[in-house]
Amino acid sequence: MKTKSLILASVIATVISAPTMAADWFIGGGVGAQENTYKGSYVPEIQNPIAGGPQTQSVKETESNAVYELRAGVYLNDNNRVYGTYSYNSDDFSKQQSFLMSYDYLVGLGDSNKLNWFIGATAGMNHISPDTSTLDSKNRFVWGGQTGIMYKINDNLSTEIGYRYLKQDYEENLGPEAVPYNGAVAGTETASLNDSQQLYLSVDYRF
């Protein structure tokens, strides 16, 4: 918990310390692809002595589906921006709604300043709703970073392509009282969402 608090505090401190000059507000939206990495394990309550040792079954799955986002924020100056993002993603295992706060540092590429490379940090909350009745919906802390290229079309419109990595914090443990599935004996199960990766294209309107 201490690490999570430090990450969130670092993002907020970076935003606050960024120099404020002529601020330009913006709103926008985007679409892309999100890849989620799930992990799980199953340990039967009744062990088979013939098999020898604990019969733990482990699984790791990756799911890729579309991600949609809406965002709003402010350019503090030519090199600093801060924004909030709402995103929605659904795959075969769960539905996710994320509320993120991000900071980016922009580096102009060329004299025209129309093309910018950006890199930054993100922290926020993710509401995950598993597509199974045995797991509960949860709000979990997420954190990570993003980078990409932003192109300024004119004074009001810009577009960008970006990559974001989010470290997830979702894990569920089901004890031996869990209902057996597919004919298996009762046992202890764990299910977790390890991380998510997003590749997105967005368009923003600056005013």
Side-chain angles (χ1 to χ4, degrees), residues 81-108:
R81 69 177 179 181
V82 60
Y83 52 99
T85 302
Y86 164 80
S87 68
Y88 176 84
N89 169 253
S90 176
D91 59 31
D92 291 340
F93 290 96
S94 68
K95 295 180 177 64
Q96 296 182 55
Q97 298 183 75
S98 298
F99 302 88
L100 307 172
M101 191 71 180
S102 303
Y103 165 80
D104 287 337
Y105 182 78
L106 292 86
V107 178

PDB file of all heavy atoms in Angstrom, residues 81-108:
ATOM      1  N   ARG A  81       1.420  18.612 -19.843  1.00  0.00           N
ATOM      2  CA  ARG A  81      -0.036  18.490 -19.859  1.00  0.00           C
ATOM      3  C   ARG A  81      -0.472  17.477 -18.805  1.00  0.00           C
ATOM      4  O   ARG A  81       0.267  16.556 -18.448  1.00  0.00           O
ATOM      5  CB  ARG A  81      -0.556  18.065 -21.232  1.00  0.00           C
ATOM      6  CG  ARG A  81      -0.227  16.643 -21.642  1.00  0.00           C
ATOM      7  CD  ARG A  81      -0.845  16.294 -22.998  1.00  0.00           C
ATOM      8  NE  ARG A  81      -0.516  14.930 -23.403  1.00  0.00           N
ATOM      9  CZ  ARG A  81      -0.904  14.371 -24.543  1.00  0.00           C
ATOM     10  NH1 ARG A  81      -1.634  15.070 -25.415  1.00  0.00           N
ATOM     11  NH2 ARG A  81      -0.573  13.128 -24.826  1.00  0.00           N
ATOM     12  N   VAL A  82      -1.675  17.673 -18.309  1.00  0.00           N
ATOM     13  CA  VAL A  82      -2.273  16.772 -17.343  1.00  0.00           C
ATOM     14  C   VAL A  82      -3.722  16.537 -17.757  1.00  0.00           C
ATOM     15  O   VAL A  82      -4.383  17.443 -18.249  1.00  0.00           O
ATOM     16  CB  VAL A  82      -2.183  17.356 -15.913  1.00  0.00           C
ATOM     17  CG1 VAL A  82      -2.896  18.688 -15.807  1.00  0.00           C
ATOM     18  CG2 VAL A  82      -2.754  16.381 -14.896  1.00  0.00           C
ATOM     19  N   TYR A  83      -4.203  15.300 -17.569  1.00  0.00           N
ATOM     20  CA  TYR A  83      -5.547  14.981 -18.045  1.00  0.00           C
ATOM     21  C   TYR A  83      -6.111  13.765 -17.318  1.00  0.00           C
ATOM     22  O   TYR A  83      -5.373  12.933 -16.767  1.00  0.00           O
ATOM     23  CB  TYR A  83      -5.553  14.728 -19.554  1.00  0.00           C
ATOM     24  CG  TYR A  83      -4.533  13.711 -20.030  1.00  0.00           C
ATOM     25  CD1 TYR A  83      -4.884  12.394 -20.291  1.00  0.00           C
ATOM     26  CD2 TYR A  83      -3.204  14.081 -20.226  1.00  0.00           C
ATOM     27  CE1 TYR A  83      -3.964  11.477 -20.727  1.00  0.00           C
ATOM     28  CE2 TYR A  83      -2.262  13.170 -20.666  1.00  0.00           C
ATOM     29  CZ  TYR A  83      -2.634  11.867 -20.916  1.00  0.00           C
ATOM     30  OH  TYR A  83      -1.703  10.949 -21.330  1.00  0.00           O
ATOM     31  N   GLY A  84      -7.428  13.690 -17.316  1.00  0.00           N
ATOM     32  CA  GLY A  84      -8.122  12.542 -16.773  1.00  0.00           C
ATOM     33  C   GLY A  84      -8.751  11.733 -17.901  1.00  0.00           C
ATOM     34  O   GLY A  84      -9.205  12.297 -18.902  1.00  0.00           O
ATOM     35  N   THR A  85      -8.782  10.427 -17.739  1.00  0.00           N
ATOM     36  CA  THR A  85      -9.295   9.535 -18.787  1.00  0.00           C
ATOM     37  C   THR A  85     -10.265   8.511 -18.201  1.00  0.00           C
ATOM     38  O   THR A  85      -9.996   7.923 -17.151  1.00  0.00           O
ATOM     39  CB  THR A  85      -8.145   8.777 -19.473  1.00  0.00           C
ATOM     40  OG1 THR A  85      -7.211   9.699 -20.037  1.00  0.00           O
ATOM     41  CG2 THR A  85      -8.679   7.871 -20.584  1.00  0.00           C
ATOM     42  N   TYR A  86     -11.395   8.341 -18.889  1.00  0.00           N
ATOM     43  CA  TYR A  86     -12.300   7.230 -18.609  1.00  0.00           C
ATOM     44  C   TYR A  86     -12.192   6.262 -19.779  1.00  0.00           C
ATOM     45  O   TYR A  86     -12.303   6.669 -20.946  1.00  0.00           O
ATOM     46  CB  TYR A  86     -13.747   7.701 -18.485  1.00  0.00           C
ATOM     47  CG  TYR A  86     -14.744   6.558 -18.585  1.00  0.00           C
ATOM     48  CD1 TYR A  86     -14.997   5.738 -17.491  1.00  0.00           C
ATOM     49  CD2 TYR A  86     -15.398   6.286 -19.788  1.00  0.00           C
ATOM     50  CE1 TYR A  86     -15.885   4.683 -17.584  1.00  0.00           C
ATOM     51  CE2 TYR A  86     -16.288   5.226 -19.893  1.00  0.00           C
ATOM     52  CZ  TYR A  86     -16.532   4.423 -18.792  1.00  0.00           C
ATOM     53  OH  TYR A  86     -17.408   3.372 -18.897  1.00  0.00           O
ATOM     54  N   SER A  87     -11.956   4.977 -19.512  1.00  0.00           N
ATOM     55  CA  SER A  87     -11.869   3.991 -20.581  1.00  0.00           C
ATOM     56  C   SER A  87     -12.710   2.769 -20.254  1.00  0.00           C
ATOM     57  O   SER A  87     -12.943   2.450 -19.080  1.00  0.00           O
ATOM     58  CB  SER A  87     -10.407   3.580 -20.822  1.00  0.00           C
ATOM     59  OG  SER A  87      -9.893   2.846 -19.718  1.00  0.00           O
ATOM     60  N   TYR A  88     -13.159   2.092 -21.315  1.00  0.00           N
ATOM     61  CA  TYR A  88     -13.995   0.896 -21.177  1.00  0.00           C
ATOM     62  C   TYR A  88     -13.420  -0.207 -22.050  1.00  0.00           C
ATOM     63  O   TYR A  88     -13.077   0.021 -23.213  1.00  0.00           O
ATOM     64  CB  TYR A  88     -15.434   1.185 -21.589  1.00  0.00           C
ATOM     65  CG  TYR A  88     -16.325  -0.050 -21.564  1.00  0.00           C
ATOM     66  CD1 TYR A  88     -16.918  -0.478 -20.382  1.00  0.00           C
ATOM     67  CD2 TYR A  88     -16.549  -0.791 -22.724  1.00  0.00           C
ATOM     68  CE1 TYR A  88     -17.717  -1.607 -20.348  1.00  0.00           C
ATOM     69  CE2 TYR A  88     -17.351  -1.926 -22.706  1.00  0.00           C
ATOM     70  CZ  TYR A  88     -17.935  -2.331 -21.515  1.00  0.00           C
ATOM     71  OH  TYR A  88     -18.710  -3.451 -21.494  1.00  0.00           O
ATOM     72  N   ASN A  89     -13.315  -1.406 -21.464  1.00  0.00           N
ATOM     73  CA  ASN A  89     -12.792  -2.567 -22.180  1.00  0.00           C
ATOM     74  C   ASN A  89     -13.553  -3.806 -21.731  1.00  0.00           C
ATOM     75  O   ASN A  89     -13.876  -3.956 -20.550  1.00  0.00           O
ATOM     76  CB  ASN A  89     -11.294  -2.729 -21.909  1.00  0.00           C
ATOM     77  CG  ASN A  89     -10.740  -4.068 -22.404  1.00  0.00           C
ATOM     78  OD1 ASN A  89     -10.446  -4.951 -21.613  1.00  0.00           O
ATOM     79  ND2 ASN A  89     -10.623  -4.200 -23.709  1.00  0.00           N
ATOM     80  N   SER A  90     -13.852  -4.699 -22.672  1.00  0.00           N
ATOM     81  CA  SER A  90     -14.561  -5.931 -22.349  1.00  0.00           C
ATOM     82  C   SER A  90     -13.935  -7.090 -23.122  1.00  0.00           C
ATOM     83  O   SER A  90     -13.638  -6.965 -24.320  1.00  0.00           O
ATOM     84  CB  SER A  90     -16.041  -5.798 -22.717  1.00  0.00           C
ATOM     85  OG  SER A  90     -16.729  -7.017 -22.486  1.00  0.00           O
ATOM     86  N   ASP A  91     -13.707  -8.214 -22.422  1.00  0.00           N
ATOM     87  CA  ASP A  91     -13.214  -9.415 -23.092  1.00  0.00           C
ATOM     88  C   ASP A  91     -13.972 -10.627 -22.559  1.00  0.00           C
ATOM     89  O   ASP A  91     -14.992 -10.486 -21.876  1.00  0.00           O
ATOM     90  CB  ASP A  91     -11.688  -9.570 -22.942  1.00  0.00           C
ATOM     91  CG  ASP A  91     -11.238  -9.652 -21.483  1.00  0.00           C
ATOM     92  OD1 ASP A  91     -12.021 -10.161 -20.642  1.00  0.00           O
ATOM     93  OD2 ASP A  91     -10.116  -9.212 -21.179  1.00  0.00           O
ATOM     94  N   ASP A  92     -13.488 -11.834 -22.835  1.00  0.00           N
ATOM     95  CA  ASP A  92     -14.202 -13.045 -22.442  1.00  0.00           C
ATOM     96  C   ASP A  92     -14.186 -13.289 -20.936  1.00  0.00           C
ATOM     97  O   ASP A  92     -14.974 -14.089 -20.421  1.00  0.00           O
ATOM     98  CB  ASP A  92     -13.597 -14.261 -23.149  1.00  0.00           C
ATOM     99  CG  ASP A  92     -13.875 -14.256 -24.647  1.00  0.00           C
ATOM    100  OD1 ASP A  92     -14.813 -13.550 -25.065  1.00  0.00           O
ATOM    101  OD2 ASP A  92     -13.149 -14.955 -25.392  1.00  0.00           O
ATOM    102  N   PHE A  93     -13.277 -12.625 -20.207  1.00  0.00           N
ATOM    103  CA  PHE A  93     -13.143 -12.864 -18.777  1.00  0.00           C
ATOM    104  C   PHE A  93     -13.775 -11.770 -17.921  1.00  0.00           C
ATOM    105  O   PHE A  93     -14.244 -12.043 -16.821  1.00  0.00           O
ATOM    106  CB  PHE A  93     -11.660 -12.995 -18.402  1.00  0.00           C
ATOM    107  CG  PHE A  93     -11.020 -14.255 -18.908  1.00  0.00           C
ATOM    108  CD1 PHE A  93     -10.319 -14.257 -20.099  1.00  0.00           C
ATOM    109  CD2 PHE A  93     -11.111 -15.447 -18.191  1.00  0.00           C
ATOM    110  CE1 PHE A  93      -9.731 -15.415 -20.579  1.00  0.00           C
ATOM    111  CE2 PHE A  93     -10.537 -16.602 -18.657  1.00  0.00           C
ATOM    112  CZ  PHE A  93      -9.837 -16.598 -19.861  1.00  0.00           C
ATOM    113  N   SER A  94     -13.758 -10.520 -18.391  1.00  0.00           N
ATOM    114  CA  SER A  94     -14.222  -9.438 -17.536  1.00  0.00           C
ATOM    115  C   SER A  94     -14.547  -8.194 -18.343  1.00  0.00           C
ATOM    116  O   SER A  94     -14.197  -8.080 -19.520  1.00  0.00           O
ATOM    117  CB  SER A  94     -13.151  -9.092 -16.494  1.00  0.00           C
ATOM    118  OG  SER A  94     -12.024  -8.509 -17.131  1.00  0.00           O
ATOM    119  N   LYS A  95     -15.214  -7.266 -17.665  1.00  0.00           N
ATOM    120  CA  LYS A  95     -15.423  -5.909 -18.179  1.00  0.00           C
ATOM    121  C   LYS A  95     -14.671  -4.957 -17.257  1.00  0.00           C
ATOM    122  O   LYS A  95     -14.686  -5.126 -16.029  1.00  0.00           O
ATOM    123  CB  LYS A  95     -16.911  -5.562 -18.213  1.00  0.00           C
ATOM    124  CG  LYS A  95     -17.736  -6.399 -19.177  1.00  0.00           C
ATOM    125  CD  LYS A  95     -19.197  -5.988 -19.131  1.00  0.00           C
ATOM    126  CE  LYS A  95     -20.021  -6.782 -20.149  1.00  0.00           C
ATOM    127  NZ  LYS A  95     -20.036  -8.236 -19.832  1.00  0.00           N
ATOM    128  N   GLN A  96     -14.019  -3.957 -17.858  1.00  0.00           N
ATOM    129  CA  GLN A  96     -13.227  -3.022 -17.071  1.00  0.00           C
ATOM    130  C   GLN A  96     -13.627  -1.582 -17.384  1.00  0.00           C
ATOM    131  O   GLN A  96     -13.811  -1.222 -18.545  1.00  0.00           O
ATOM    132  CB  GLN A  96     -11.738  -3.172 -17.364  1.00  0.00           C
ATOM    133  CG  GLN A  96     -11.147  -4.510 -16.983  1.00  0.00           C
ATOM    134  CD  GLN A  96      -9.662  -4.548 -17.256  1.00  0.00           C
ATOM    135  OE1 GLN A  96      -8.898  -3.704 -16.794  1.00  0.00           O
ATOM    136  NE2 GLN A  96      -9.243  -5.536 -18.022  1.00  0.00           N
ATOM    137  N   GLN A  97     -13.742  -0.775 -16.328  1.00  0.00           N
ATOM    138  CA  GLN A  97     -13.921   0.661 -16.454  1.00  0.00           C
ATOM    139  C   GLN A  97     -12.826   1.334 -15.632  1.00  0.00           C
ATOM    140  O   GLN A  97     -12.719   1.096 -14.425  1.00  0.00           O
ATOM    141  CB  GLN A  97     -15.296   1.094 -15.942  1.00  0.00           C
ATOM    142  CG  GLN A  97     -16.453   0.491 -16.728  1.00  0.00           C
ATOM    143  CD  GLN A  97     -17.782   0.993 -16.228  1.00  0.00           C
ATOM    144  OE1 GLN A  97     -18.185   2.140 -16.490  1.00  0.00           O
ATOM    145  NE2 GLN A  97     -18.492   0.148 -15.494  1.00  0.00           N
ATOM    146  N   SER A  98     -12.012   2.143 -16.306  1.00  0.00           N
ATOM    147  CA  SER A  98     -10.868   2.764 -15.644  1.00  0.00           C
ATOM    148  C   SER A  98     -11.055   4.279 -15.542  1.00  0.00           C
ATOM    149  O   SER A  98     -11.554   4.913 -16.483  1.00  0.00           O
ATOM    150  CB  SER A  98      -9.573   2.465 -16.415  1.00  0.00           C
ATOM    151  OG  SER A  98      -9.313   1.079 -16.447  1.00  0.00           O
ATOM    152  N   PHE A  99     -10.637   4.829 -14.416  1.00  0.00           N
ATOM    153  CA  PHE A  99     -10.630   6.269 -14.193  1.00  0.00           C
ATOM    154  C   PHE A  99      -9.190   6.647 -13.841  1.00  0.00           C
ATOM    155  O   PHE A  99      -8.716   6.330 -12.743  1.00  0.00           O
ATOM    156  CB  PHE A  99     -11.598   6.642 -13.075  1.00  0.00           C
ATOM    157  CG  PHE A  99     -13.015   6.215 -13.342  1.00  0.00           C
ATOM    158  CD1 PHE A  99     -13.459   4.951 -12.965  1.00  0.00           C
ATOM    159  CD2 PHE A  99     -13.891   7.073 -13.993  1.00  0.00           C
ATOM    160  CE1 PHE A  99     -14.758   4.550 -13.222  1.00  0.00           C
ATOM    161  CE2 PHE A  99     -15.201   6.682 -14.254  1.00  0.00           C
ATOM    162  CZ  PHE A  99     -15.629   5.424 -13.876  1.00  0.00           C
ATOM    163  N   LEU A 100      -8.508   7.300 -14.787  1.00  0.00           N
ATOM    164  CA  LEU A 100      -7.069   7.509 -14.672  1.00  0.00           C
ATOM    165  C   LEU A 100      -6.707   8.987 -14.659  1.00  0.00           C
ATOM    166  O   LEU A 100      -7.384   9.816 -15.283  1.00  0.00           O
ATOM    167  CB  LEU A 100      -6.345   6.835 -15.846  1.00  0.00           C
ATOM    168  CG  LEU A 100      -6.658   5.355 -16.094  1.00  0.00           C
ATOM    169  CD1 LEU A 100      -6.022   4.894 -17.393  1.00  0.00           C
ATOM    170  CD2 LEU A 100      -6.200   4.503 -14.919  1.00  0.00           C
ATOM    171  N   MET A 101      -5.621   9.306 -13.967  1.00  0.00           N
ATOM    172  CA  MET A 101      -5.043  10.641 -13.969  1.00  0.00           C
ATOM    173  C   MET A 101      -3.640  10.524 -14.542  1.00  0.00           C
ATOM    174  O   MET A 101      -2.849   9.699 -14.066  1.00  0.00           O
ATOM    175  CB  MET A 101      -5.000  11.207 -12.554  1.00  0.00           C
ATOM    176  CG  MET A 101      -4.651  12.674 -12.489  1.00  0.00           C
ATOM    177  SD  MET A 101      -6.022  13.679 -13.125  1.00  0.00           S
ATOM    178  CE  MET A 101      -5.338  15.317 -12.929  1.00  0.00           C
ATOM    179  N   SER A 102      -3.317  11.339 -15.569  1.00  0.00           N
ATOM    180  CA  SER A 102      -2.039  11.205 -16.257  1.00  0.00           C
ATOM    181  C   SER A 102      -1.313  12.534 -16.377  1.00  0.00           C
ATOM    182  O   SER A 102      -1.940  13.600 -16.442  1.00  0.00           O
ATOM    183  CB  SER A 102      -2.247  10.623 -17.664  1.00  0.00           C
ATOM    184  OG  SER A 102      -2.911   9.385 -17.624  1.00  0.00           O
ATOM    185  N   TYR A 103       0.005  12.431 -16.425  1.00  0.00           N
ATOM    186  CA  TYR A 103       0.868  13.582 -16.706  1.00  0.00           C
ATOM    187  C   TYR A 103       1.807  13.199 -17.846  1.00  0.00           C
ATOM    188  O   TYR A 103       2.376  12.103 -17.852  1.00  0.00           O
ATOM    189  CB  TYR A 103       1.686  13.989 -15.487  1.00  0.00           C
ATOM    190  CG  TYR A 103       2.829  14.913 -15.846  1.00  0.00           C
ATOM    191  CD1 TYR A 103       2.609  16.276 -16.049  1.00  0.00           C
ATOM    192  CD2 TYR A 103       4.118  14.420 -16.013  1.00  0.00           C
ATOM    193  CE1 TYR A 103       3.648  17.119 -16.410  1.00  0.00           C
ATOM    194  CE2 TYR A 103       5.159  15.264 -16.371  1.00  0.00           C
ATOM    195  CZ  TYR A 103       4.926  16.605 -16.579  1.00  0.00           C
ATOM    196  OH  TYR A 103       5.950  17.440 -16.948  1.00  0.00           O
ATOM    197  N   ASP A 104       1.971  14.101 -18.822  1.00  0.00           N
ATOM    198  CA  ASP A 104       2.891  13.883 -19.939  1.00  0.00           C
ATOM    199  C   ASP A 104       3.863  15.037 -20.072  1.00  0.00           C
ATOM    200  O   ASP A 104       3.506  16.213 -19.869  1.00  0.00           O
ATOM    201  CB  ASP A 104       2.130  13.758 -21.268  1.00  0.00           C
ATOM    202  CG  ASP A 104       1.401  12.432 -21.394  1.00  0.00           C
ATOM    203  OD1 ASP A 104       1.800  11.466 -20.715  1.00  0.00           O
ATOM    204  OD2 ASP A 104       0.429  12.373 -22.170  1.00  0.00           O
ATOM    205  N   TYR A 105       5.084  14.696 -20.447  1.00  0.00           N
ATOM    206  CA  TYR A 105       6.065  15.696 -20.847  1.00  0.00           C
ATOM    207  C   TYR A 105       6.242  15.578 -22.354  1.00  0.00           C
ATOM    208  O   TYR A 105       6.469  14.484 -22.883  1.00  0.00           O
ATOM    209  CB  TYR A 105       7.404  15.483 -20.140  1.00  0.00           C
ATOM    210  CG  TYR A 105       8.429  16.544 -20.496  1.00  0.00           C
ATOM    211  CD1 TYR A 105       8.364  17.803 -19.904  1.00  0.00           C
ATOM    212  CD2 TYR A 105       9.424  16.288 -21.431  1.00  0.00           C
ATOM    213  CE1 TYR A 105       9.289  18.788 -20.224  1.00  0.00           C
ATOM    214  CE2 TYR A 105      10.349  17.267 -21.761  1.00  0.00           C
ATOM    215  CZ  TYR A 105      10.278  18.515 -21.157  1.00  0.00           C
ATOM    216  OH  TYR A 105      11.179  19.494 -21.492  1.00  0.00           O
ATOM    217  N   LEU A 106       6.109  16.703 -23.073  1.00  0.00           N
ATOM    218  CA  LEU A 106       6.158  16.702 -24.524  1.00  0.00           C
ATOM    219  C   LEU A 106       7.471  17.297 -25.019  1.00  0.00           C
ATOM    220  O   LEU A 106       7.953  18.306 -24.485  1.00  0.00           O
ATOM    221  CB  LEU A 106       4.984  17.497 -25.116  1.00  0.00           C
ATOM    222  CG  LEU A 106       3.587  16.907 -24.922  1.00  0.00           C
ATOM    223  CD1 LEU A 106       2.994  17.330 -23.584  1.00  0.00           C
ATOM    224  CD2 LEU A 106       2.652  17.306 -26.045  1.00  0.00           C
ATOM    225  N   VAL A 107       8.017  16.691 -26.052  1.00  0.00           N
ATOM    226  CA  VAL A 107       9.254  17.151 -26.682  1.00  0.00           C
ATOM    227  C   VAL A 107       8.954  17.442 -28.153  1.00  0.00           C
ATOM    228  O   VAL A 107       8.523  16.542 -28.890  1.00  0.00           O
ATOM    229  CB  VAL A 107      10.369  16.101 -26.575  1.00  0.00           C
ATOM    230  CG1 VAL A 107      11.628  16.592 -27.274  1.00  0.00           C
ATOM    231  CG2 VAL A 107      10.653  15.765 -25.112  1.00  0.00           C
ATOM    232  N   GLY A 108       9.138  18.687 -28.562  1.00  0.00           N
ATOM    233  CA  GLY A 108       8.878  19.061 -29.943  1.00  0.00           C
ATOM    234  C   GLY A 108       9.875  18.431 -30.902  1.00  0.00           C
ATOM    235  O   GLY A 108      11.075  18.396 -30.628  1.00  0.00           O
TER     236      GLY A 108
END
